[in-house]
């Protein structure tokens, strides 16, 4: 039996990962994913059946019976055809956690639509509008997709998009290519030329390609040449770290793993070995199997070796918890059938020596109260800060290659500053995944005094066991109430307990909390538009709190402000004179 070529071996693994991906979602979602490919190939809108006058056709793609049947079942229309003589789309890929152990029901699909630069330049806006329509159609089947238009010269001197909520802009280029090479699944079209370059030629990729073409072993017309990965510059590791901290606001546990990988790369400077090199080396070896080739497990393995070499077991434990939460297999629950991901994680958990009590705590993550969420949040922020500081220090030692646009650095830096910088008068916003039930149904206010004798107002919650739990404290009752409303701890239905340490009635507290909840929901406060981050911060919302008081002369007013950068400030209102 002849040894398969690198391209054949990659094709085999690609098929295995695609099969795993389809097995991890519902039948309806699988069919919608196939319809998206057929829609981009044919130019037909699956929502209404109209043909869109836009770049279409995927090179080398011929819809099979599964795709045609999926189209009929999902649209109730005959499957479309495409007679485009010059297909505009070079390749269609899904990248990230898709087809890995980390893919779960809450995961989304990042889909790259790769076109020649001239197509992207001339029809970019039209294609992005089409992508929006396709994303909405897929969402009807609970299939969350994000399409990205990627010119084939994107990593070979091309221009990156501006930074956005979903795009890293110029903050990371080769780091993104590294992730693509080890996680991408080809859905349709041309494979990357990187597949055929031998692993020992990674450092002289261009020369290797020239030799293969000269020997007629490959034709560049049959592949997409995104370029090689000889090195990852220091300043790009800095940019990638900025981007990961930015993304941590939405997906903290996934982000911890990615920024730890950047730290592991930085520790290997001046010539770090990208994980994609290891992936290719392993894939073409005799030891390769599906588990060993899982990109997320390979990423964790690199992180584990890095932290063990430094003796940082506490940080390694944080990385392990992040991996466990990202995979989403609840191993504390008895099961009659265990998934492949569950079996793999069970092996890891036994090696780590975790107790069942620890598993129970992690498996109830979605039901943690605000105290547990805050402890986890502090650990995440501590880890992000440590990683970013180390990577930034490495970057300072290097000469900048100016590969990152100043505007992108400014936007990312401002968002991070707004999210994590602590200063007087600023209310801390706890960034936790959507769905965590942190609302308290019974809470109260209590007045105490600190060691200096200053008055302190404590917000506490009462659990089902009637035990009082302190949540936060401040100099005024209105500040602690504002913090509770901002973080979703206090809601319109929260019942307030009477307390003899002060004169503020539960009726007054409830009325103010209802007002605060209407004024600033956690979701609204989290959102900071990219266009706003590119400009100086400004006040966008103002709320004046006029506390009740028996003596009009002693009444003080306070104001809450929301800024365009997503910050919420609490301070004494300026005095007015009549």
């Amino acid at each position: 039996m002849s040894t398969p070529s690198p391209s054949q071996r990659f094709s085999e693994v690609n098929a295995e990962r695609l099969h795993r991906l389809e097995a991890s979602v519902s039948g309806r979602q699988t069919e919608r994913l196939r319809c998206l490919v057929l829609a981009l190939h044919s130019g037909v809108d699956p929502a209404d059946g109209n043909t869109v006058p836009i770049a279409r056709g995927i090179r080398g793609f011929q819809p099979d019976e599964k795709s045609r049947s999926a189209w009929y079942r999902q649209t109730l229309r005959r499957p479309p055809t495409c007679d485009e003589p010059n297909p505009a789309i070079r390749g269609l890929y899904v990248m990230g956690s898709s087809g890995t152990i980390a893919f779960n029901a809450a995961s989304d699909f990042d889909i790259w639509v790769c076109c020649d630069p001239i197509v992207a330049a001339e029809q970019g806006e039209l294609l992005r509008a089409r992508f929006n329509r396709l994303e909405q159609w897929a969402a009807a089947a609970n299939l969350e997709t994000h399409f990205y238009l990627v010119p084939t010269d994107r990593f070979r001197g091309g221009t990156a998009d501006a930074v956005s909520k979903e795009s890293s802009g110029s903050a990371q280029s080769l780091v993104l290519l590294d992730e693509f090479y080890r996680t991408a699944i080809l859905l349709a079209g041309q494979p990357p030329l990187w597949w055929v370059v031998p692993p020992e030629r990674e450092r002289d990729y261009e020369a290797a390609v020239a030799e293969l073409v000269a020997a007629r072993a490959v034709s560049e017309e049959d592949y997409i040449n995104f370029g090689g990965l000889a090195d990852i510059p220091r300043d790009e590791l800095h940019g990638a770290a900025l981007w990961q901290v930015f993304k941590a606001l939405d997906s903290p546990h996934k982000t911890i793993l990615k920024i730890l990988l950047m730290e592991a790369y930085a520790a290997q400077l001046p010539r770090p070995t990208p994980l994609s090199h290891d992936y290719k080396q392993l894939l073409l070896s005799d030891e390769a199997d599906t588990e060993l080739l899982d990109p997320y497990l390979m990423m964790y393995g690199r992180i584990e070796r890095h932290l063990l070499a430094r003796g940082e077991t506490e940080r390694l434990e944080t990385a392990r918890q992040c991996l466990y939460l990202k995979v989403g297999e609840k191993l504390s629950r008895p099961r009659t059938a265990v998934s492949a991901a569950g079996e793999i994680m069970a092996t890891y958990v036994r090696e780590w020596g975790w107790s069942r009590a620890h598993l129970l705590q992690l498996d109830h993550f979605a039901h943690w109260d605000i105290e547990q969420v805050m402890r986890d949040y502090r650990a995440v922020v501590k880890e992000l800060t440590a990683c970013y500081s180390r990577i930034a220090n490495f970057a300072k030692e290097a000469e900048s290659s100016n590969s990152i646009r100043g505007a992108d650095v400014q936007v990312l830096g401002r968002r991070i500053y707004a999210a994590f910088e602590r200063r007087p008068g600023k209310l801390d916003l706890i960034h936790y995944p959507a769905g965590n039930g942190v609302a308290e149904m019974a809470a109260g206010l209590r007045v105490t005094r600190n060691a200096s004798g200053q008055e302190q107002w404590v917000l506490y919650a009462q659990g089902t066991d009637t035990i009082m739990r302190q949540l936060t404290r401040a100099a005024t009752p209105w500040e602690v109430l504002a913090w509770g409303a901002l973080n979703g701890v206090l809601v319109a239905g929260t019942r307030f307990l009477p307390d003899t340490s002060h004169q503020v009635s539960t009726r007054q507290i409830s009325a103010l909390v209802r007002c605060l909840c209407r004024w600033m929901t956690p979701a609204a406060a989290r959102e900071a538009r990219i266009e706003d981050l590119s400009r100086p911060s400004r006040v966008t919302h103002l709320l004046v709190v006029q506390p009740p008081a028996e003596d009009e002369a002693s009444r003080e007013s306070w104001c809450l402000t929301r800024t365009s950068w997503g910050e919420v400030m609490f301070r004494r209102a300026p005095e007015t004179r009549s």
Side-chain angles (χ1 to χ4, degrees):
M1 182 181 295
S2 61
T3 303
S5 67
S7 184
Q8 289 173 324
R9 183 68 184 114
F10 268 103
S11 296
E12 292 171 1
V13 172
N14 188 83
E16 291 173 7
R17 291 189 58 210
L18 182 57
H19 175 73
R20 186 195 297 182
L21 171 61
E22 292 179 342
S24 64
V25 297
S26 69
R28 187 185 183 202
Q29 290 173 323
T30 296
E31 290 196 336
R32 291 246 162 171
L33 184 60
R34 290 173 178 159
C35 289
L36 293 175
V37 177
L38 191 50
L40 290 167
H41 178 62
S42 65
V44 175
D45 193 319
D48 56 23
N50 294 329
T51 300
V52 183
I54 200 171
R56 61 177 183 153
I58 303 174
R59 294 195 191 180
F61 175 66
Q62 291 295 332
D64 57 15
E65 183 57 35
K66 288 182 178 180
S67 296
R68 291 191 291 270
S69 297
W71 185 276
Y72 180 77
R73 280 191 291 268
Q74 294 298 315
T75 69
L76 301 180
R77 301 185 188 91
R78 292 177 59 186
T81 58
C82 178
D83 55 1
E84 179 60 50
N86 297 303
I89 299 172
R90 297 278 301 276
L92 197 64
Y93 298 84
V94 58
M95 69 161 290
S97 64
S98 302
T100 75
I101 191 174
F103 187 85
N104 55 51
S107 299
D108 56 5
F109 291 83
D110 289 340
I111 300 174
W112 283 21
V113 182
C114 305
C115 300
D116 285 328
I118 190 170
V119 174
E122 293 178 352
Q123 300 198 45
E125 292 304 314
L126 293 174
L127 284 167
R128 290 185 181 91
R130 175 151 168 70
F131 296 163
N132 287 336
R133 292 195 299 273
L134 292 176
E135 288 170 0
Q136 293 170 8
W137 182 77
N142 294 321
L143 186 69
E144 184 180 352
T145 56
H146 303 283
F147 285 88
Y148 301 91
L149 181 61
V150 182
T152 53
D153 69 344
R154 164 68 171 81
F155 305 99
R156 296 167 60 84
T159 302
D161 291 337
V163 71
S164 68
K165 185 177 179 181
E166 296 297 336
S167 172
S168 58
S170 64
Q172 55 176 11
S173 180
L174 294 181
V175 168
L176 181 61
L177 185 60
D178 171 50
E179 182 181 359
F180 172 80
Y181 278 154
R182 57 188 163 82
T183 69
I185 299 175
L186 177 63
L187 298 177
Q190 296 177 320
L193 186 59
W194 182 80
W195 279 10
V196 304
V197 175
E200 64 272 12
R201 301 296 302 275
E202 292 290 352
R203 299 291 185 184
D204 61 339
Y205 174 91
E206 297 297 342
V209 169
E211 291 172 16
L212 289 168
V213 172
R216 297 187 179 181
V218 299
S219 170
E220 284 196 87
E221 292 300 315
D222 298 332
Y223 296 87
I224 300 177
N225 188 3
F226 286 123
L229 268 171
D231 288 302
I232 298 178
R234 293 175 188 248
D235 62 343
E236 185 166 316
L237 287 176
H238 181 213
L242 268 175
W243 171 248
Q244 293 306 331
V245 176
F246 178 88
K247 292 296 287 181
L249 304 179
D250 298 319
S251 305
H253 298 99
K254 177 176 72 174
T255 301
I256 287 289
L257 294 172
K258 290 190 173 183
I259 197 171
L260 275 169
L261 179 63
M262 296 303 100
E263 182 185 316
Y265 282 177
Q268 293 182 326
L269 287 168
R271 301 200 80 181
T273 300
L275 197 54
S276 56
H277 289 195
D278 292 350
Y279 179 78
K280 181 190 282 189
Q281 188 80 46
L282 182 60
L283 183 143
L284 298 176
S285 72
D286 296 332
E287 302 175 1
D289 64 31
T290 305
E291 179 182 336
L292 289 174
L293 284 169
D294 187 286
Y296 254 83
L297 293 182
M298 290 190 71
M299 177 169 63
Y300 168 75
R302 176 73 73 90
I303 292 167
E304 183 182 61
R305 291 190 296 274
H306 166 68
L307 294 177
L308 284 176
R310 299 176 62 90
E312 298 184 287
T313 55
E314 183 179 342
R315 297 182 69 208
L316 177 58
E317 185 66 16
T318 299
R320 288 171 173 172
Q321 291 187 21
C322 288
L323 176 65
Y324 184 84
L325 291 171
K326 179 68 178 91
V327 173
E329 291 287 332
K330 295 177 171 56
L331 299 182
S332 65
R333 299 177 180 177
R335 295 187 177 188
T336 54
V338 181
S339 67
E343 290 179 354
I344 293 170
M345 287 308 303
T347 301
Y348 274 86
V349 164
R350 284 193 295 271
E351 292 176 356
W352 299 340
W354 283 4
S355 66
R356 187 171 185 276
H358 188 49
L359 288 174
L360 278 169
Q361 181 191 30
L362 293 177
D363 289 347
H364 284 82
F365 174 71
H367 305 288
W368 283 0
D369 58 34
I370 188 62
E371 292 171 286
Q372 292 172 301
V373 168
M374 285 193 294
R375 282 196 297 270
D376 181 70
Y377 175 72
R378 292 189 192 104
V380 167
V381 171
K382 179 181 177 182
E383 188 56 48
L384 287 171
T385 304
C387 286
Y388 178 73
S389 296
R390 289 178 180 175
I391 296 169
N393 287 336
F394 280 120
K396 288 177 182 176
E397 298 170 4
E399 294 182 6
S400 175
S401 63
N402 296 320
S403 62
I404 307 172
R405 288 189 295 255
D408 288 348
V409 173
Q410 184 182 66
V411 165
L412 295 174
R414 284 175 171 176
R415 185 68 182 104
I416 293 166
Y417 170 83
F420 298 121
E421 178 72 13
R422 304 187 69 178
R423 60 186 189 275
K426 179 180 175 181
L427 298 184
D428 289 336
L429 174 60
I430 310 300
H431 293 268
Y432 54 86
N436 280 66
V438 299
E440 296 289 349
M441 291 298 100
L445 290 176
R446 179 167 297 161
V447 179
T448 63
R449 294 191 179 275
N450 61 19
S452 303
Q454 296 174 317
E455 188 175 270
Q456 291 277 293
W457 287 76
V458 176
L459 174 66
Y460 64 89
Q462 182 184 55
T464 54
D465 52 7
T466 71
I467 295 177
M468 303 301 181
R469 307 180 337 265
Q470 178 179 311
L471 302 179
T472 190
R473 61 173 56 220
T476 72
W478 326 119
E479 185 172 355
V480 295
L481 294 176
W483 176 91
L486 173 67
N487 286 292
V489 178
L490 302 180
V491 295
T494 299
R495 177 174 61 88
F496 287 91
L497 308 172
D499 197 294
T500 58
S501 66
H502 58 81
Q503 300 300 313
V504 185
S505 71
T506 57
R507 180 183 59 81
Q508 292 167 333
I509 295 172
S510 296
L512 178 57
V513 167
R514 286 194 296 270
C515 175
L516 290 170
C517 289
R518 288 194 300 268
W519 186 77
M520 57 175 184
T521 62
R526 278 184 173 84
E527 290 300 322
R529 299 183 306 170
I530 297 299
E531 52 266 38
D532 287 329
L533 292 169
S534 65
R535 296 189 287 263
S537 177
R538 69 185 191 284
V539 173
T540 58
H541 297 76
L542 172 67
L543 177 69
V544 177
V545 179
Q546 186 98 20
E550 298 295 328
D551 184 0
E552 285 288 330
S554 65
R555 183 180 298 184
E556 285 185 317
S557 296
W558 299 82
C559 63
L560 279 163
T561 57
R562 274 216 323 259
T563 75
S564 55
W565 290 3
E567 296 176 291
V568 178
M569 308 296 294
F570 182 88
R571 54 172 63 94
R572 181 178 283 105
E575 295 183 5
T576 57
R577 297 182 180 181
S578 56

